[in-house]
Amino acid sequence: MTLLITTISKDYALSSSDMRITIKTKDGYKPVDEKFNKHILFHSNGLTANITYTGVAQWFQRGKKVKLYDVISESLATSSKNDLNFAPLSLNLINDIVAAISPNILKSRNFGFELHITGYHNKTPIPFIAVISTFQEEAPWNTEGELQWEYDIDGVKIFIKATEEPDVIISGMSTAVTQYEKYDLINAVNNGADAFNISNLSSQIIKNASKRTLGIGPRSVSMLMPKSGYVDSNLWDKNMSGIIGYLPRMVLPNGKMFGPSEFPVELDLILHGRLPRDSLFFKTVIYNNFKRRDRRIIFKQKHGELIPGIFGIIQLNLYGKVAEGYTDFGLSH
């Protein structure tokens, strides 16, 4: 299982999850992987979104191990290649997951899955979120919206919502999260907290929850889908060579898959501009590597071009340029 915390506001959509993979035993859960990035980015028919999941992560079909991560990725790759809009894309996703499962496993009480899909369509200025679940019986929203739909496809429920009103959806092992933590997160979003602070708060909630059950790991990752600007992530590590940014699997519009992968980043890049309000990667690196005084100076910088996040750095390396309004660090070609 996994703990999923998905947040939408008028300026961004944010997906957070822990990184532990477990196997279920008669005594509870046994961790087998602590660094698994359960996020997949994709683009299809104008929709740019992130998908993450909870539930049964892998099973055996005809003696072969099947991973939900791969089933989702391959389904998205086919849909993106065919430029499908969200309705047929989500239907194919359900059909592909169900087709990869034997009837006996599908009927088992121990089997189930839930997907959170969130992002933006290029023709719509408000974020959307979809929950595809065998667990949820009722819509998981905390606030009602005019643009929301519910469907049932052979017992798999689909809940879709598009709104500028803030909302927080906590799924998976949500019983490990206290009511106080839930209210604290909802209040922060309602009061206009930026993506970086919501990501930090979500990470702390996940870390706290991991102390209450082995089904949740203390390490987490957040993916940011902003209303404007670059997609961003807060996942990085530090080694002898410097800062390494870790990227989720990405499904490109032509159906090709990229990653998961890692990317070296120079810390001195942050001195060349100002940070976007809703960003994760460089803010997280600064927060963990700089003294409070220096952090305050960097975060308050209001002049100069915007500093792209890890995905902007990748664009610069692959294509030699960044989006208008962002600094290229003098490296464009």
Side-chain angles (χ1 to χ4, degrees):
M1 291 291 282
T2 294
L3 180 60
L4 303 183
I5 302 177
T6 303
T7 305
I8 52 175
S9 80
K10 64 184 182 68
D11 295 319
Y12 60 84
L14 185 77
S15 300
S16 303
S17 70
D18 76 284
M19 301 181 71
R20 175 174 286 174
I21 294 289
T22 63
I23 56 174
K24 198 168 186 180
T25 68
K26 61 180 181 180
D27 299 320
Y29 295 93
K30 179 182 177 182
V32 295
D33 192 338
E34 299 287 0
K35 296 184 178 181
F36 197 90
N37 194 333
K38 303 167 188 174
H39 297 257
I40 304 167
L41 290 172
F42 69 94
H43 180 91
S44 183
N45 198 253
L47 174 67
T48 300
N50 176 68
I51 182 168
T52 188
Y53 60 90
T54 184
V56 176
Q58 61 186 36
W59 57 90
F60 284 91
Q61 175 78 300
R62 302 185 187 92
K64 181 182 178 182
K65 184 185 290 186
V66 180
K67 296 182 178 181
L68 182 58
Y69 179 81
D70 293 329
V71 176
I72 294 172
S73 300
E74 290 162 9
S75 179
L76 291 174
T78 300
S79 293
S80 295
K81 185 177 181 179
N82 293 322
D83 201 30
L84 299 186
N85 62 35
F86 184 71
L89 181 148
S90 57
L91 182 60
N92 287 350
L93 196 53
I94 293 172
N95 289 336
D96 289 340
I97 293 173
V98 172
I101 307 164
S102 68
N104 291 336
I105 297 176
L106 192 59
K107 294 177 182 178
S108 170
R109 284 186 176 183
N110 293 323
F111 181 84
F113 63 89
E114 181 164 317
L115 315 179
H116 285 198
I117 309 173
T118 186
Y120 286 84
H121 194 281
N122 59 16
K123 293 183 180 179
T124 308
I126 58 177
F128 94 101
I129 179 171
V131 175
I132 299 176
S133 179
T134 62
F135 301 130
Q136 303 279 2
E137 291 297 329
E138 298 180 350
W141 321 129
N142 292 296
T143 60
E144 296 296 322
E146 294 182 2
L147 300 176
Q148 59 185 64
W149 303 267
E150 297 182 18
Y151 304 94
D152 187 321
I153 301 175
D154 296 328
V156 181
K157 300 293 181 65
I158 305 178
F159 306 98
I160 305 172
K161 179 180 178 180
T163 179
E164 285 189 316
E165 292 297 318
D167 207 342
V168 177
I169 299 89
I170 301 177
S171 296
M173 304 197 75
S174 57
T175 54
V177 180
T178 68
Q179 285 298 321
Y180 174 80
E181 288 169 331
K182 293 177 182 178
Y183 291 144
D184 196 25
L185 185 59
I186 291 171
N187 287 337
V189 176
N190 286 335
N191 288 329
D194 63 25
F196 170 69
N197 284 296
I198 294 300
S199 173
N200 275 357
L201 184 53
S202 298
S203 295
Q204 187 59 53
I205 290 172
I206 290 170
K207 188 175 182 179
N208 292 342
S210 72
K211 299 174 183 177
R212 302 168 188 140
T213 174
L214 285 175
I216 300 171
R219 186 180 172 96
S220 62
V221 57
S222 295
M223 292 300 307
L224 167 67
M225 313 294 294
K227 182 176 182 179
S228 61
Y230 283 102
V231 174
D232 212 352
S233 169
N234 69 342
L235 188 57
W236 61 276
D237 214 335
K238 197 173 184 179
N239 60 22
M240 296 294 291
S241 301
I243 301 296
I244 303 295
Y246 293 96
L247 304 172
R249 174 167 288 175
M250 291 178 277
V251 178
L252 306 179
N254 61 4
K256 300 291 184 181
M257 292 188 213
F258 181 81
S261 55
E262 57 186 60
F263 204 87
V265 177
E266 295 293 335
L267 263 181
D268 62 359
L269 294 179
I270 61 175
L271 304 177
H272 290 263
R274 59 189 174 94
L275 292 162
R277 180 179 187 273
D278 290 309
S279 64
L280 294 186
F281 185 81
F282 279 120
K283 280 190 174 182
T284 306
V285 171
I286 293 165
Y287 187 81
N288 287 275
N289 289 278
F290 286 72
K291 293 181 180 179
R292 182 179 298 179
R293 177 180 175 277
D294 295 327
R295 292 200 306 255
R296 189 179 296 115
I297 292 172
I298 296 171
F299 284 173
K300 287 186 176 181
Q301 172 65 20
K302 302 297 183 183
H303 303 288
E305 294 179 303
L306 295 170
I307 299 171
I310 186 66
F311 288 88
I313 301 296
I314 292 171
Q315 181 184 5
L316 180 61
N317 277 268
L318 292 179
Y319 303 106
K321 61 182 180 179
V322 291
E324 185 177 353
Y326 286 81
T327 179
D328 59 14
F329 311 108
L331 299 175
S332 71
H333 58 276

